[in-house]
Amino acid sequence: MVRLYKKHIPLKNHNNIFLGLIFLLMTVPTQIAHSQQQRFPKPEFQTEYQIPETERPNPRAPFMEYLDLFLLLAVLSLTTWLVLKKRSRKWILWVSVFSLLYFGFYRNGCICSVGSLQNLTLSLFNEGYSVSFTVLAFFVVPLLFALAVGRVFCASACPLGIIQDLVIVKPIKLSPWLQKSLGLFPFIYLGLAVLYAATGTDFIICRFDPFVGIFRMGAEFHMIVLGISFLLIGMFVARPYCRFVCPYGALLKICSLNSKYHLSITPKDCINCKLCKDSCPFDAIDFPTDEKENRASRKDFWKFVFYAALIPVLMFVGGWAVSGSYKLLSSAHPDVYLANLLVSQPELMQNTENLDIETFMSSGKTLEILVEEAKIIQEKFRFGGWFLGAFIGLVIALHLLNQVIFRKRSIYEANRGDCFSCGRCMDYCPVGKPEHPFFKDKPEMVVKS
Amino acid sequence: MSKLQSRRQFISGCARYSLGLTIAGVIGFSLTNASSQQWLWQIDPFKCTNCGRCATHCVLNPSAVKCVHAYALCGYCDLCGGYLKPGHIARNTAAENQLCPTAAIERKLIEEPYYEYHINEELCIGCAKCVEGCSSFGNGSLHLQIRQNICVNCNECAIARVCPSDAIKRIPADEPYLIKGGFEHGQTL
């Protein structure tokens, strides 16, 4: 009898059961989490049939992560040697093409140092989240290299930078004022990325990474548009993402400004021939200072005092302003968003069109709990907002202060903060190259190397 | 000039060492919460509500999420809620009767009246239509999984961000799959 039941229910009464189930499905809210249920028993096969195993294809082998790290170290060390000793733009270019192909197109832009800063932040603020050693190393190694020899990571390891470097056609010079102002954005972006990662809201750097869609040959439409626009702008404003957006670049800049060694345009002594003057597409070459124009005056002294006094003021105002806008900032968190939506429009709770609302309603969680959770997140934003605002205020104040500090310079040299160590300028320097066209009619100027 | 240079060098050196110490501090602090594990994304099929966002929100197209079949849990029914469209005309393999929009479910007669259902993962887009059908009418043996050989392991899973039931989690790589088990394993796994 049991056997008959097993065999015949699905065969004979199926139509009624099926209709009944459809009816049930229509009456019960459809989004109830279905767990595994033994509605139909396991068949007893008469034949030799073996129940197959569910396939479990393996992920990428773990040692491959160490290969990534090894290649990063190799690329950075090689570039360091090429920048400081070999002084060859051509070889730096080839190394960078390799990195673009490997870290960009083969590894699909993930694992990346730029994004790793968010993983690290989240792991520092959230005990349940831990980073792997490889991710930690990807974050730290380029910074240590920057501290030692400048931004070699930007030159030839970062696929985001290299893809822009390769499309430079006719770089235009930006006014220093515009360049400095736009250069503030990476610090603001860095602060925001840290705040959003620390609160566990979102990884905004990855989400708004304009080039990862190109590496993967597919992304949301607006991200592809953004990526292509960055590349089109990049034909004329060289490396726009690196200079005016990249938050990791902001960290590298701070490290590189104080680097022990750095790329130098000339192999020996600068002869002020000005040949390298226009060689840098990134406007990262500092010119010798004009003595008359820049002599520090009494007025400058008072300006300095004023801007220095402005630091705490701007920090406080920034902290107050950003912390005050915590509601706006926190609405990016899905829970806060949902809570806001349901509190402001309670009639939406009956909405079956909205998946998030529907799933929430059928999860059995009450609105009160959701609102409580949202409030905790908002409090985090209010607290973190003080730090973010103070940081932004500090950056702006230091930027202003920097405008009145006069630095005497007698030669053409790379700006350690802005220079990507791409090596273009080195090819323009005639020093040590007697065959250089510059020396053709001035043989007495040849400097022996 | 040399005095100026040495002063600059001194300031820069101090800044360098303090930055170095900061980085060392960050390393030390994060080492307390670091692991040698590789991390992967995983769907918990018991939390999944078959909303269909896996098909549309993965950075890959088609999605790295595929329907997989826990054969041990399957009733091998002829009338399969995961295979046949509600209101199907006939119970056969004709395209108009199939629930799967890409015809990724292959039906094979084992012996009367049992049919084996196999997912062709090349065709599967992870839309969860069959999962919904199987969980509503059947045993729930069809369920979604992130295929680890396809997944590019994004830093932040684009599906996890929009998953309404919070079913996608970041897990250590030694157990990449949470596959539904058979009846003998009980209800949990």
Side-chain angles (χ1 to χ4, degrees):
Chain A
M1 203 49 211
V2 174
R3 278 207 58 78
L4 208 79
Y5 170 82
K6 271 186 187 173
K7 275 202 166 182
H8 288 245
I9 288 268
L11 268 180
K12 292 218 164 138
N13 298 337
H14 61 268
N15 275 337
N16 295 342
I17 288 181
F18 202 53
L19 286 173
L21 282 174
I22 288 180
F23 178 74
L24 264 178
L25 191 77
M26 295 297 163
T27 48
V28 175
T30 46
Q31 286 296 321
I32 289 177
H34 311 284
S35 61
Q36 149 181 341
Q37 280 186 51
Q38 192 167 2
R39 288 201 183 93
F40 303 99
K42 194 171 167 182
E44 285 163 24
F45 295 107
Q46 306 295 312
T47 49
E48 292 286 291
Y49 178 73
Q50 290 292 315
I51 294 180
E53 269 291 304
T54 308
E55 279 174 56
R56 298 158 193 243
N58 279 326
R60 192 166 167 268
F63 76 88
M64 295 291 278
E65 258 196 13
Y66 294 101
L67 176 71
D68 294 341
L69 183 58
F70 170 77
L71 282 173
L72 177 75
L73 283 169
V75 162
L76 290 178
S77 313
L78 183 61
T79 312
T80 302
W81 178 73
L82 289 173
V83 165
L84 296 183
K85 289 273 177 265
K86 178 95 170 119
R87 298 177 50 81
S88 160
R89 164 68 192 157
K90 197 174 81 185
W91 278 102
I92 296 172
L93 182 67
W94 284 115
V95 175
S96 73
V97 169
F98 165 78
S99 295
L100 177 64
L101 292 177
Y102 184 80
F103 292 113
F105 288 99
Y106 172 66
R107 293 294 285 119
N108 284 325
C110 236
I111 190 168
C112 120
S113 300
V114 183
S116 70
L117 88 89
Q118 302 164 114
N119 298 60
L120 200 71
T121 311
L122 184 55
S123 85
L124 290 179
F125 285 88
N126 184 339
E127 297 215 334
Y129 186 96
S130 58
V131 285
S132 67
F133 291 129
T134 332
V135 171
L136 181 60
F138 260 78
F139 174 74
V140 165
V141 166
L143 291 177
L144 292 178
F145 267 86
L147 212 48
V149 291
R151 300 169 70 168
V152 285
F153 172 75
C154 302
S156 68
C158 177
L160 307 179
I162 297 158
I163 194 169
Q164 296 170 80
D165 203 280
L166 295 180
V167 298
I168 299 171
V169 178
K170 195 171 166 49
I172 53 168
K173 274 215 177 307
L174 297 181
S175 73
W177 174 84
L178 184 65
Q179 225 195 138
K180 295 258 164 163
S181 311
L182 289 175
L184 280 175
F185 184 69
F187 290 94
I188 299 173
Y189 194 22
L190 172 71
L192 275 173
V194 168
L195 181 66
Y196 275 115
T199 52
T201 306
D202 205 345
F203 282 2
I204 53 173
I205 303 174
C206 298
R207 189 166 182 181
F208 300 108
D209 180 340
F211 305 114
V212 78
I214 296 171
F215 298 144
R216 287 178 181 151
M217 310 273 181
E220 289 164 64
F221 180 70
H222 66 275
M223 291 316 293
I224 293 282
V225 170
L226 191 68
I228 291 177
S229 357
F230 263 112
L231 290 183
L232 288 177
I233 295 170
M235 289 161 74
F236 307 104
V237 180
R239 286 205 188 208
Y241 187 82
C242 305
R243 287 156 79 195
F244 309 128
V245 183
C246 182
Y248 191 64
L251 290 177
L252 287 169
K253 183 175 182 169
I254 298 171
C255 288
S256 176
L257 272 172
N258 302 294
S259 65
K260 175 85 178 152
Y261 305 98
H262 197 275
L263 168 142
S264 88
I265 302 173
T266 178
K268 293 208 80 172
D269 296 317
C270 177
I271 54 172
N272 276 329
C273 65
K274 299 179 187 164
L275 284 177
C276 63
K277 191 163 76 81
D278 297 319
S279 66
C280 184
F282 317 111
D283 305 328
I285 294 178
D286 285 335
F287 296 172
T289 43
D290 187 338
E291 288 291 318
K292 275 176 254 161
E293 213 174 85
N294 275 318
R295 187 158 304 151
S297 65
R298 181 157 276 275
K299 209 171 124 202
D300 284 334
F301 171 74
W302 285 111
K303 255 190 188 167
F304 180 87
V305 172
F306 173 69
Y307 285 136
L310 211 58
I311 293 178
V313 178
L314 278 182
M315 281 175 77
F316 180 79
V317 171
W320 175 78
V322 176
S323 169
S325 52
Y326 72 100
K327 282 197 171 155
L328 177 73
L329 287 171
S330 66
S331 61
H333 195 288
D335 288 355
V336 179
Y337 177 78
L338 192 63
N340 281 341
L341 194 68
L342 290 179
V343 167
S344 61
Q345 292 165 279
E347 71 275 10
L348 281 178
M349 293 190 11
Q350 314 311 326
N351 189 345
T352 48
E353 299 286 298
N354 187 317
L355 251 174
D356 297 290
I357 295 178
E358 212 188 313
T359 315
F360 165 71
M361 292 308 290
S362 59
S363 69
K365 208 156 125 182
T366 61
L367 185 58
E368 284 73 40
I369 297 176
L370 182 73
V371 169
E372 275 311 304
E373 284 175 357
K375 279 201 176 129
I376 293 172
I377 296 161
Q378 285 192 328
E379 273 313 302
K380 283 185 187 167
F381 270 92
R382 182 149 51 182
F383 183 68
W386 277 103
F387 288 91
L388 171 62
F391 174 71
I392 293 174
L394 178 69
V395 168
I396 294 175
L398 287 179
H399 172 77
L400 289 172
L401 192 65
N402 208 17
Q403 303 306 303
V404 289
I405 294 177
F406 169 66
R407 287 192 186 80
K408 208 163 141 186
R409 208 177 301 101
S410 53
I411 57 168
Y412 287 84
E413 58 185 345
N415 180 309
R416 292 196 168 199
D418 293 336
C419 171
F420 296 122
S421 299
C422 73
R424 283 187 177 83
C425 51
M426 299 187 303
D427 286 351
Y428 288 81
C429 184
V431 176
K433 295 176 195 148
E435 74 279 13
H436 195 284
F438 180 71
F439 289 118
K440 277 234 169 99
D441 42 331
K442 310 168 196 149
E444 74 281 4
M445 279 191 71
V446 175
V447 180
K448 288 193 182 81
S449 57
Chain B
M1 190 63 201
S2 68
K3 197 176 154 195
L4 185 70
Q5 279 296 352
S6 67
R7 193 187 67 193
R8 267 189 209 173
Q9 274 165 7
F10 174 72
I11 294 174
S12 157
C14 288
R16 184 160 60 246
Y17 282 111
S18 41
L19 279 169
L21 280 176
T22 312
I23 295 175
V26 169
I27 298 176
F29 204 62
S30 44
L31 272 180
T32 58
N33 200 8
S35 72
S36 55
Q37 289 277 11
Q38 195 192 349
W39 296 85
L40 298 170
W41 295 99
Q42 184 185 69
I43 297 185
D44 181 344
F46 297 99
K47 276 188 170 180
C48 172
T49 48
N50 323 321
C51 67
R53 283 185 178 165
C54 286
T56 48
H57 283 78
C58 183
V59 297
L60 298 176
N61 188 18
S63 171
V65 177
K66 304 285 175 201
C67 173
V68 302
H69 198 186
Y71 296 95
L73 191 61
C74 181
Y76 285 79
C77 310
D78 178 16
L79 179 70
C80 173
Y83 183 74
L84 296 164
K85 228 182 225 172
H88 56 279
I89 305 158
R91 212 179 312 140
N92 57 26
T93 56
E96 72 267 22
N97 298 326
Q98 291 191 28
L99 182 62
C100 180
T102 57
I105 307 182
E106 290 158 0
R107 171 177 153 116
K108 191 172 84 183
L109 176 69
I110 301 297
E111 61 181 68
E112 275 301 334
Y114 299 130
Y115 289 84
E116 184 195 279
Y117 297 92
H118 172 77
I119 311 291
N120 182 343
E121 287 186 10
E122 295 275 298
L123 296 177
C124 179
I125 54 168
C127 68
K129 286 201 169 85
C130 59
V131 180
E132 179 68 26
C134 181
S135 342
S136 311
F137 305 123
N139 290 348
S141 56
L142 293 171
H143 60 284
L144 292 184
Q145 287 289 333
I146 294 175
R147 279 317 200 189
Q148 304 295 359
N149 54 334
I150 307 171
C151 175
V152 289
N153 203 0
C154 294
N155 207 3
E156 192 194 28
C157 176
I159 314 171
R161 194 155 54 210
V162 295
C163 177
S165 45
D166 230 0
I168 300 187
K169 287 270 173 302
R170 190 169 160 273
I171 48 104
D174 40 10
E175 276 188 51
Y177 294 100
L178 187 64
I179 301 249
K180 280 188 173 181
F183 297 121
E184 56 273 19
H185 297 101
Q187 288 290 305
T188 47
L189 254 182

